[in-house]
Amino acid sequence: MGRDAPDRLSLRSLTNRILLSAGLILGGIGVAVAAGVANVSMLPGAVCGAGIACGNFFLIRKILEKAFSGGGAVNKGFVVQYTLKFLGLIGVVYLVVRYGGFDLLGFLLGLSSLFLGVLLEALARSFEPNA
Amino acid sequence: MFRKYTFSFLVALLFVAVASVAMAAEGAPAADNVKAVIALAAGFGIAIAAFGGAMGQGKAIAAGLEGIARNPSAQNKIFIPMIVGLALIESLVIYALVIAFVLVGKL
């Protein structure tokens, strides 16, 4: 437990930074909308994309945590769960793109919040004294 | 050597397929030509993205499992970058999927 604690904390901080980056992207779009550079319709698309990216990350984390929690043995349901998650993700993206009516650039920006979150996490780690 | 020949054959096949579509519509209206190219772009785009994503995820999981098998005490240190890598790879495939949906919507 003692050895696991720092890793769990870093996973939690990564999750928090992904959420923070999603907030940053939404804030950036909000500023761009206020400045008249971007269209207002980008905002709901970005919210939807960020939600999908974060949900996908949480599901991957949950499925893999459950799969590798059994010591040396890997849970056999892992493959089925992962495949179902991926199919669900494809279905959600299809529904959003086809029937959602969101701005696609905003949607892709929202999906990119994961990348920005990982970048923020790496930058934060590089500035830590023990890194 | 066999891989090189197979790769060359597939590339040649790709060029032949694209050229036949491009030349077939010489007398047809330009709109049909554009639609054919859009369909090709959507199909090849998602195919290449799925191929690359599958290769990347397979390699990531294989390397992660090998690392955990060699050193089970390092499971947590290997696990987090593996999750992040898998999520990033999947995001890239989803980008290609969105673009393919957009292209198909233009048909």
Side-chain angles (χ1 to χ4, degrees), chain A residues 21-111:
Chain A
S21 69
L24 275 177
I25 286 180
L26 296 180
I29 292 174
V31 168
V33 166
V37 181
N39 199 352
V40 185
S41 62
M42 280 178 78
L43 216 49
V47 171
C48 183
I52 288 176
C54 291
N56 183 38
F57 182 74
F58 290 144
L59 281 177
I60 289 178
R61 189 183 126 188
K62 289 285 174 202
I63 290 171
L64 290 183
E65 266 181 356
K66 204 194 279 181
F68 290 101
S69 62
V74 176
N75 188 1
K76 286 178 183 168
F78 150 69
V79 178
V80 178
Q81 285 175 342
Y82 202 84
T83 309
L84 284 177
K85 183 205 70 67
F86 189 69
L87 289 176
L89 179 66
I90 288 176
V92 167
V93 169
Y94 174 74
L95 289 176
V96 166
V97 172
R98 191 93 170 98
Y99 303 108
F102 294 118
D103 184 74
L104 277 176
L105 187 60
F107 182 64
L108 287 178
L109 273 175
L111 276 180

XYZ file of all heavy atoms in Angstrom, chain A residues 21-111:
643
model
N -6.660 20.865 -18.114
C -6.373 21.243 -19.507
C -7.656 21.393 -20.308
O -7.769 22.273 -21.157
C -5.472 20.208 -20.154
O -6.186 19.009 -20.325
N -8.641 20.528 -19.992
C -9.943 20.685 -20.657
C -10.536 22.044 -20.301
O -11.060 22.753 -21.170
C -10.874 19.558 -20.240
N -10.414 22.413 -19.031
C -10.885 23.731 -18.609
C -10.135 24.850 -19.302
O -10.717 25.868 -19.692
N -8.809 24.652 -19.480
C -7.997 25.666 -20.170
C -8.451 25.842 -21.615
O -8.557 26.963 -22.123
C -6.524 25.243 -20.155
C -5.708 25.613 -18.928
C -4.301 25.050 -19.054
C -5.646 27.122 -18.792
N -8.706 24.705 -22.271
C -9.148 24.776 -23.670
C -10.492 25.493 -23.756
O -10.699 26.377 -24.590
C -9.237 23.364 -24.274
C -7.833 22.837 -24.534
C -10.033 23.374 -25.578
C -7.802 21.473 -25.127
N -11.403 25.121 -22.843
C -12.712 25.769 -22.849
C -12.579 27.266 -22.545
O -13.234 28.103 -23.178
C -13.636 25.107 -21.828
C -13.975 23.642 -22.116
C -14.891 23.102 -21.046
C -14.622 23.514 -23.472
N -11.691 27.585 -21.595
C -11.460 28.997 -21.273
C -10.868 29.743 -22.454
O -11.258 30.881 -22.746
N -9.917 29.090 -23.152
C -9.303 29.713 -24.332
C -10.332 29.973 -25.418
O -10.344 31.041 -26.051
N -11.215 28.994 -25.613
C -12.269 29.185 -26.624
C -13.215 30.305 -26.191
O -13.639 31.133 -27.005
C -13.033 27.864 -26.853
C -12.111 26.845 -27.516
C -14.249 28.084 -27.747
C -12.715 25.470 -27.644
N -13.514 30.324 -24.868
C -14.369 31.393 -24.353
C -13.753 32.763 -24.578
O -14.443 33.713 -24.993
N -12.441 32.873 -24.342
C -11.753 34.152 -24.573
C -11.783 34.509 -26.056
O -12.023 35.668 -26.439
C -10.292 34.060 -24.052
C -9.473 35.237 -24.525
C -10.287 33.996 -22.536
N -11.553 33.480 -26.901
C -11.572 33.730 -28.348
C -12.961 34.168 -28.810
O -13.091 35.045 -29.669
C -11.140 32.477 -29.101
N -13.993 33.564 -28.198
C -15.365 33.956 -28.547
C -15.617 35.397 -28.098
O -16.186 36.212 -28.848
C -16.385 32.993 -27.890
C -17.787 33.566 -27.953
C -16.349 31.642 -28.587
N -15.145 35.715 -26.877
C -15.350 37.070 -26.361
C -14.607 38.100 -27.207
O -15.080 39.225 -27.388
C -14.884 37.141 -24.901
N -13.452 37.689 -27.738
C -12.676 38.620 -28.560
C -13.212 38.699 -29.981
O -12.712 39.488 -30.781
C -11.207 38.189 -28.566
N -14.162 37.853 -30.289
C -14.749 37.879 -31.634
C -13.966 37.106 -32.670
O -14.233 37.203 -33.865
N -12.963 36.341 -32.215
C -12.135 35.569 -33.150
C -12.814 34.247 -33.508
O -12.771 33.809 -34.654
C -10.743 35.302 -32.540
C -9.876 34.522 -33.507
C -10.082 36.614 -32.173
N -13.447 33.619 -32.511
C -14.045 32.299 -32.726
C -15.564 32.381 -32.667
O -16.124 33.369 -32.177
C -13.537 31.322 -31.671
N -16.181 31.337 -33.171
C -17.639 31.265 -33.187
C -18.146 30.698 -31.850
O -17.496 29.829 -31.263
C -18.051 30.350 -34.341
C -19.480 30.554 -34.735
O -20.213 31.266 -34.054
N -19.882 29.938 -35.822
N -19.293 31.163 -31.419
C -19.850 30.681 -30.141
C -20.175 29.190 -30.216
O -20.094 28.469 -29.214
C -21.135 31.471 -29.788
C -21.653 31.079 -28.420
C -20.872 32.954 -29.843
N -20.491 28.713 -31.399
C -20.894 27.301 -31.534
C -19.735 26.340 -31.275
O -19.954 25.134 -31.188
C -21.449 27.060 -32.936
O -20.459 27.314 -33.897
N -18.505 26.881 -31.165
C -17.372 25.997 -30.852
C -17.432 25.492 -29.411
O -16.918 24.422 -29.099
C -16.049 26.732 -31.057
C -15.599 26.816 -32.493
S -14.077 27.736 -32.643
C -12.916 26.521 -32.111
N -18.042 26.293 -28.556
C -17.997 25.996 -27.117
C -18.697 24.674 -26.756
O -18.090 23.824 -26.084
C -18.599 27.173 -26.342
C -17.965 27.498 -25.000
C -16.462 27.593 -25.089
C -18.531 28.778 -24.445
N -19.956 24.471 -27.171
C -20.578 23.173 -26.834
C -19.861 21.989 -27.456
O -19.783 20.915 -26.845
C -22.006 23.303 -27.374
C -22.066 24.532 -28.153
C -20.912 25.389 -27.808
N -19.307 22.179 -28.651
C -18.542 21.094 -29.280
C -17.314 20.748 -28.464
O -16.984 19.572 -28.269
N -16.637 21.792 -27.960
C -15.444 21.556 -27.152
C -15.799 20.872 -25.840
O -15.077 19.976 -25.376
C -14.729 22.872 -26.890
N -16.917 21.291 -25.244
C -17.367 20.650 -23.989
C -17.640 19.177 -24.237
O -17.216 18.295 -23.466
C -18.631 21.358 -23.447
C -19.229 20.569 -22.293
C -18.310 22.768 -23.010
N -18.340 18.900 -25.346
C -18.673 17.506 -25.665
C -17.395 16.685 -25.924
O -17.249 15.574 -25.415
C -19.592 17.503 -26.893
S -20.145 15.892 -27.357
N -16.461 17.262 -26.700
C -15.210 16.547 -27.000
C -14.400 16.286 -25.743
O -13.861 15.193 -25.550
N -14.325 17.308 -24.873
C -13.570 17.137 -23.623
C -14.219 16.073 -22.749
O -13.529 15.255 -22.128
C -13.486 18.468 -22.891
N -15.547 16.084 -22.721
C -16.252 15.061 -21.937
C -15.977 13.664 -22.456
O -15.738 12.731 -21.680
N -15.984 13.517 -23.771
C -15.721 12.194 -24.356
C -14.281 11.770 -24.076
O -14.020 10.610 -23.707
C -16.007 12.219 -25.867
C -17.512 12.303 -26.100
C -15.454 10.985 -26.555
C -17.898 12.437 -27.548
N -13.324 12.708 -24.207
C -11.918 12.362 -23.969
C -11.701 11.942 -22.513
O -11.036 10.932 -22.234
C -11.025 13.541 -24.330
N -12.285 12.716 -21.600
C -12.115 12.391 -20.181
C -12.804 11.068 -19.841
O -12.252 10.234 -19.112
C -12.673 13.511 -19.313
S -11.711 15.016 -19.421
N -14.008 10.882 -20.360
C -14.716 9.624 -20.102
C -13.958 8.425 -20.644
O -13.875 7.378 -19.989
N -13.374 8.585 -21.825
C -12.588 7.503 -22.424
C -11.387 7.172 -21.545
O -11.086 6.005 -21.287
C -12.146 7.940 -23.823
C -11.401 6.865 -24.547
O -11.729 5.695 -24.437
N -10.388 7.249 -25.303
N -10.730 8.206 -21.056
C -9.560 7.990 -20.207
C -9.951 7.285 -18.908
O -9.279 6.340 -18.480
C -8.893 9.333 -19.916
C -7.645 9.206 -19.095
C -6.481 8.718 -19.656
C -7.644 9.551 -17.760
C -5.341 8.584 -18.896
C -6.503 9.417 -16.992
C -5.348 8.942 -17.570
N -11.055 7.735 -18.301
C -11.494 7.104 -17.053
C -11.841 5.634 -17.276
O -11.499 4.771 -16.465
C -12.709 7.828 -16.478
C -12.395 9.194 -15.944
C -13.303 10.225 -16.069
C -11.195 9.456 -15.319
C -13.016 11.486 -15.589
C -10.898 10.717 -14.839
C -11.812 11.734 -14.976
N -12.517 5.360 -18.403
C -12.911 3.970 -18.665
C -11.680 3.095 -18.897
O -11.602 1.963 -18.390
C -13.843 3.909 -19.871
C -15.294 4.290 -19.590
C -16.106 4.260 -20.864
C -15.902 3.343 -18.572
N -10.704 3.619 -19.678
C -9.472 2.847 -19.903
C -8.799 2.552 -18.573
O -8.358 1.434 -18.298
C -8.507 3.627 -20.834
C -9.048 3.661 -22.253
C -7.128 2.985 -20.842
C -8.182 4.452 -23.191
N -8.755 3.578 -17.737
C -8.104 3.419 -16.431
C -8.815 2.358 -15.593
O -8.168 1.470 -15.026
C -8.147 4.780 -15.728
C -7.343 4.850 -14.465
C -7.524 6.195 -13.837
N -7.957 6.029 -12.457
C -8.348 7.027 -11.687
N -8.414 8.240 -12.155
N -8.696 6.805 -10.452
N -10.143 2.447 -15.546
C -10.901 1.488 -14.732
C -10.711 0.062 -15.263
O -10.475 -0.874 -14.496
C -12.397 1.840 -14.760
C -12.753 3.081 -13.992
C -12.740 2.823 -12.500
C -12.949 4.136 -11.744
N -12.444 4.060 -10.390
N -10.826 -0.093 -16.581
C -10.744 -1.442 -17.160
C -9.354 -2.032 -16.930
O -9.208 -3.187 -16.518
C -11.075 -1.389 -18.669
C -12.554 -1.085 -18.872
C -10.734 -2.703 -19.346
C -12.930 -0.804 -20.305
N -8.314 -1.226 -17.175
C -6.955 -1.765 -17.015
C -6.609 -1.985 -15.549
O -5.913 -2.942 -15.212
C -5.943 -0.834 -17.680
C -6.003 -0.811 -19.203
C -4.916 0.074 -19.770
C -5.849 -2.207 -19.775
N -7.112 -1.107 -14.682
C -6.856 -1.306 -13.246
C -7.470 -2.619 -12.777
O -6.864 -3.374 -12.035
C -7.437 -0.139 -12.436
C -6.444 0.967 -12.161
C -7.046 2.091 -11.334
O -8.260 2.040 -11.044
O -6.291 2.999 -10.993
N -8.688 -2.866 -13.260
C -9.356 -4.116 -12.864
C -8.625 -5.320 -13.465
O -8.485 -6.361 -12.829
C -10.810 -4.097 -13.345
C -11.709 -5.018 -12.532
C -13.028 -5.257 -13.196
C -14.031 -4.160 -12.986
N -15.309 -4.475 -13.653
N -8.139 -5.136 -14.698
C -7.478 -6.261 -15.384
C -6.176 -6.644 -14.701
O -5.838 -7.822 -14.613
C -7.231 -5.894 -16.840
N -5.430 -5.652 -14.229
C -4.111 -5.941 -13.674
C -4.096 -5.963 -12.153
O -3.037 -5.959 -11.550
C -3.091 -4.917 -14.178
C -2.793 -5.069 -15.630
C -3.375 -4.240 -16.566
C -1.952 -6.067 -16.063
C -3.125 -4.386 -17.900
C -1.686 -6.222 -17.412
C -2.270 -5.388 -18.334
N -5.280 -5.953 -11.547
C -5.308 -5.914 -10.086
C -5.120 -7.296 -9.461
O -4.880 -7.404 -8.281
C -6.634 -5.326 -9.597
O -7.694 -6.153 -10.023
N -5.215 -8.344 -10.259
C -5.161 -9.699 -9.703
C -3.769 -10.272 -9.575
O -3.556 -11.420 -9.945
N -2.813 -9.494 -9.125
C -1.448 -9.996 -8.974
C -0.821 -10.297 -10.315
O -0.732 -9.438 -11.176
N -0.393 -11.553 -10.518
C 0.257 -11.903 -11.776
C -0.725 -12.226 -12.887
O -0.420 -12.105 -14.063
N -1.951 -12.638 -12.516
C -2.920 -13.069 -13.522
C -3.674 -11.872 -14.100
O -4.023 -10.947 -13.378
C -3.909 -14.039 -12.894
N -3.892 -11.930 -15.411
C -4.644 -10.867 -16.067
C -6.093 -11.313 -16.192
O -6.371 -12.448 -16.589
C -4.048 -10.572 -17.455
C -4.889 -9.537 -18.175
C -2.618 -10.085 -17.318
N -7.008 -10.432 -15.815
C -8.433 -10.727 -15.889
C -8.841 -11.017 -17.337
O -8.515 -10.265 -18.242
C -9.193 -9.510 -15.347
C -10.661 -9.782 -15.192
O -11.120 -10.881 -15.473
N -11.382 -8.792 -14.740
N -9.592 -12.129 -17.539
C -9.910 -12.531 -18.910
C -10.971 -11.644 -19.557
O -11.059 -11.558 -20.775
C -10.383 -13.989 -18.922
C -9.246 -14.961 -18.727
C -9.727 -16.387 -18.704
C -8.550 -17.320 -18.429
N -8.988 -18.674 -18.122
N -11.780 -11.020 -18.741
C -12.817 -10.153 -19.302
C -12.291 -8.839 -19.837
O -13.030 -8.069 -20.439
N -11.014 -8.619 -19.650
C -10.386 -7.365 -20.044
C -10.538 -7.090 -21.538
O -10.899 -5.981 -21.953
C -8.920 -7.432 -19.604
C -7.953 -6.668 -20.435
C -7.971 -5.282 -20.432
C -7.008 -7.320 -21.195
C -7.061 -4.563 -21.178
C -6.103 -6.617 -21.941
C -6.130 -5.226 -21.940
N -10.313 -8.108 -22.348
C -10.364 -7.924 -23.800
C -11.777 -7.555 -24.235
O -11.984 -6.634 -25.037
C -9.881 -9.205 -24.516
C -9.979 -9.029 -26.015
C -8.470 -9.539 -24.117
N -12.758 -8.258 -23.668
C -14.157 -7.991 -24.035
C -14.550 -6.576 -23.608
O -15.156 -5.818 -24.379
C -15.079 -9.037 -23.370
C -16.524 -8.742 -23.695
C -14.712 -10.421 -23.819
N -14.178 -6.222 -22.376
C -14.529 -4.890 -21.877
C -13.876 -3.797 -22.714
O -14.504 -2.793 -23.060
C -14.085 -4.745 -20.421
C -14.967 -5.493 -19.450
C -14.426 -5.428 -18.048
O -13.269 -5.117 -17.830
N -15.266 -5.749 -17.087
N -12.615 -4.015 -23.058
C -11.889 -2.999 -23.831
C -12.504 -2.855 -25.224
O -12.670 -1.735 -25.728
C -10.411 -3.397 -23.931
C -9.507 -2.238 -24.222
C -9.050 -1.423 -23.196
C -9.118 -1.943 -25.516
C -8.239 -0.351 -23.454
C -8.300 -0.868 -25.783
C -7.863 -0.082 -24.742
O -7.065 0.994 -25.006
N -12.856 -3.982 -25.821
C -13.475 -3.938 -27.152
C -14.831 -3.242 -27.086
O -15.149 -2.405 -27.949
C -13.654 -5.370 -27.691
O -12.424 -6.048 -27.572
C -14.086 -5.357 -29.132
N -15.624 -3.577 -26.073
C -16.933 -2.942 -25.927
C -16.788 -1.435 -25.709
O -17.550 -0.640 -26.264
C -17.696 -3.564 -24.755
C -18.288 -4.949 -25.028
C -18.958 -5.477 -23.771
C -19.295 -4.894 -26.158
N -15.797 -1.072 -24.910
C -15.560 0.361 -24.670
C -15.223 1.065 -25.978
O -15.723 2.149 -26.275
C -14.422 0.551 -23.671
C -14.156 1.988 -23.316
C -12.744 2.209 -22.858
C -11.745 2.080 -23.956
N -11.811 3.108 -24.996
N -14.360 0.431 -26.785
C -13.950 1.055 -28.051
C -15.139 1.177 -29.005
O -15.320 2.215 -29.653
C -12.817 0.247 -28.680
C -12.201 0.927 -29.862
C -11.459 2.078 -29.697
C -12.375 0.424 -31.129
C -10.905 2.726 -30.779
C -11.821 1.058 -32.220
C -11.083 2.210 -32.045
N -15.955 0.121 -29.063
C -17.136 0.174 -29.934
C -18.103 1.267 -29.460
O -18.685 1.998 -30.274
C -17.832 -1.185 -29.972
C -17.077 -2.283 -30.727
C -17.822 -3.603 -30.614
C -16.888 -1.908 -32.184
N -18.260 1.356 -28.143
C -19.112 2.406 -27.587
C -18.590 3.791 -27.919
O -19.351 4.697 -28.272
N -17.271 3.937 -27.847
C -16.656 5.230 -28.168
C -16.909 5.600 -29.629
O -17.268 6.745 -29.951
C -15.155 5.144 -27.888
C -14.332 6.388 -28.171
C -14.728 7.507 -27.228
C -12.862 6.081 -28.012
N -16.746 4.606 -30.509
C -16.989 4.850 -31.936
C -18.456 5.249 -32.151
O -18.760 6.192 -32.894
C -16.635 3.598 -32.761
C -15.132 3.430 -32.808
C -17.186 3.704 -34.175
C -14.696 2.180 -33.505
N -19.363 4.548 -31.459
C -20.786 4.871 -31.590
C -21.096 6.282 -31.116
O -21.827 7.029 -31.785
N -20.516 6.646 -29.980
C -20.771 7.990 -29.440
C -20.231 9.051 -30.394
O -20.910 10.056 -30.688
C -20.127 8.127 -28.036
C -20.103 9.573 -27.592
C -20.892 7.309 -27.032
N -19.001 8.825 -30.909
C -18.416 9.806 -31.829
C -19.258 9.908 -33.104
O -19.503 11.006 -33.616
C -16.957 9.420 -32.153
C -16.417 10.249 -33.299
C -16.087 9.625 -30.936
N -19.738 8.763 -33.576
C -20.589 8.787 -34.773
C -21.850 9.600 -34.516
O -22.237 10.454 -35.335
C -20.945 7.358 -35.180
C -21.929 7.300 -36.324
C -21.519 7.610 -37.615
C -23.261 6.982 -36.118
C -22.410 7.587 -38.667
C -24.159 6.960 -37.163
C -23.728 7.260 -38.434
O -24.621 7.255 -39.471
N -22.494 9.347 -33.380
C -23.733 10.065 -33.066
C -23.483 11.567 -32.926
O -24.271 12.384 -33.415
C -24.353 9.513 -31.777
C -24.951 8.110 -31.888
C -25.453 7.642 -30.536
C -26.095 8.094 -32.893
N -22.361 11.906 -32.276
C -22.061 13.325 -32.071
C -21.789 14.012 -33.411
O -22.300 15.110 -33.682
C -20.846 13.472 -31.119
C -20.306 14.892 -31.156
C -21.241 13.121 -29.711
N -20.985 13.346 -34.263
C -20.622 13.981 -35.533
C -21.815 14.040 -36.479
O -22.048 15.037 -37.156
C -19.442 13.215 -36.183
C -19.170 13.725 -37.590
C -18.199 13.375 -35.339
N -22.611 12.960 -36.485
C -23.702 12.861 -37.475
C -24.928 13.669 -37.033
O -25.504 14.381 -37.832
C -24.079 11.385 -37.642
C -24.994 11.102 -38.801
C -24.200 10.737 -40.030
N -25.071 10.236 -41.077
C -25.504 10.992 -42.082
N -25.150 12.241 -42.164
N -26.262 10.473 -43.016
N -25.295 13.525 -35.787
C -26.556 14.123 -35.341
C -26.382 15.215 -34.283
O -27.356 15.847 -33.900
C -27.486 13.037 -34.773
C -27.768 11.925 -35.743
C -27.224 10.656 -35.574
C -28.563 12.154 -36.868
C -27.475 9.632 -36.475
C -28.803 11.139 -37.784
C -28.262 9.885 -37.577
O -28.511 8.892 -38.485
N -25.177 15.392 -33.776
C -24.979 16.356 -32.694
C -25.108 17.794 -33.127
O -25.564 18.641 -32.377
N -24.666 18.077 -34.354
C -24.728 19.449 -34.852
C -23.722 20.375 -34.188
O -23.873 21.589 -34.217
N -22.653 19.773 -33.604
C -21.635 20.605 -32.963
C -20.641 21.113 -33.998
O -20.516 20.551 -35.092
C -20.874 19.802 -31.907
C -21.709 19.389 -30.742
C -21.906 18.055 -30.451
C -22.292 20.341 -29.928
C -22.679 17.667 -29.381
C -23.065 19.960 -28.851
C -23.254 18.631 -28.578
N -19.908 22.151 -33.590
C -18.819 22.638 -34.424
C -17.674 21.629 -34.344
O -17.216 21.278 -33.260
C -18.357 24.000 -33.913
C -17.301 24.600 -34.797
O -17.651 25.056 -35.896
O -16.118 24.573 -34.402
N -17.209 21.175 -35.515
C -16.230 20.074 -35.517
C -14.862 20.505 -35.008
O -14.166 19.724 -34.361
C -16.108 19.500 -36.925
C -17.185 18.480 -37.267
C -17.058 18.045 -38.700
C -17.081 17.273 -36.351
N -14.485 21.749 -35.316
C -13.183 22.224 -34.828
C -13.184 22.266 -33.295
O -12.219 21.838 -32.644
C -12.892 23.607 -35.405
C -11.505 24.156 -35.119
C -10.441 23.242 -35.689
C -11.355 25.549 -35.697
N -14.285 22.760 -32.728
C -14.418 22.767 -31.269
C -14.398 21.358 -30.697
O -13.770 21.094 -29.677
N -15.081 20.454 -31.388
C -15.120 19.060 -30.926
C -13.712 18.451 -30.912
O -13.310 17.795 -29.942
C -16.050 18.267 -31.845
C -16.220 16.832 -31.462
C -16.819 16.488 -30.269
C -15.784 15.825 -32.294
C -16.975 15.160 -29.909
C -15.937 14.498 -31.950
C -16.527 14.168 -30.748
N -12.950 18.693 -31.986
C -11.586 18.153 -32.041
C -10.692 18.810 -30.999
O -9.818 18.159 -30.419
C -11.010 18.345 -33.447
C -11.599 17.426 -34.514
C -11.005 17.740 -35.872
C -11.344 15.970 -34.175
N -10.911 20.109 -30.775
C -10.138 20.785 -29.714
C -10.443 20.182 -28.353
O -9.554 19.989 -27.527
C -10.471 22.275 -29.702
C -9.661 23.157 -30.643
C -10.196 24.581 -30.604
C -8.202 23.153 -30.249
N -11.723 19.884 -28.121
C -12.108 19.244 -26.857
C -11.483 17.873 -26.710
O -11.003 17.507 -25.641
N -11.448 17.123 -27.806
C -10.800 15.798 -27.755
C -9.311 15.927 -27.457
O -8.699 15.018 -26.906
C -10.980 15.089 -29.097
C -12.278 14.320 -29.344
C -12.239 13.694 -30.718
C -12.494 13.240 -28.314
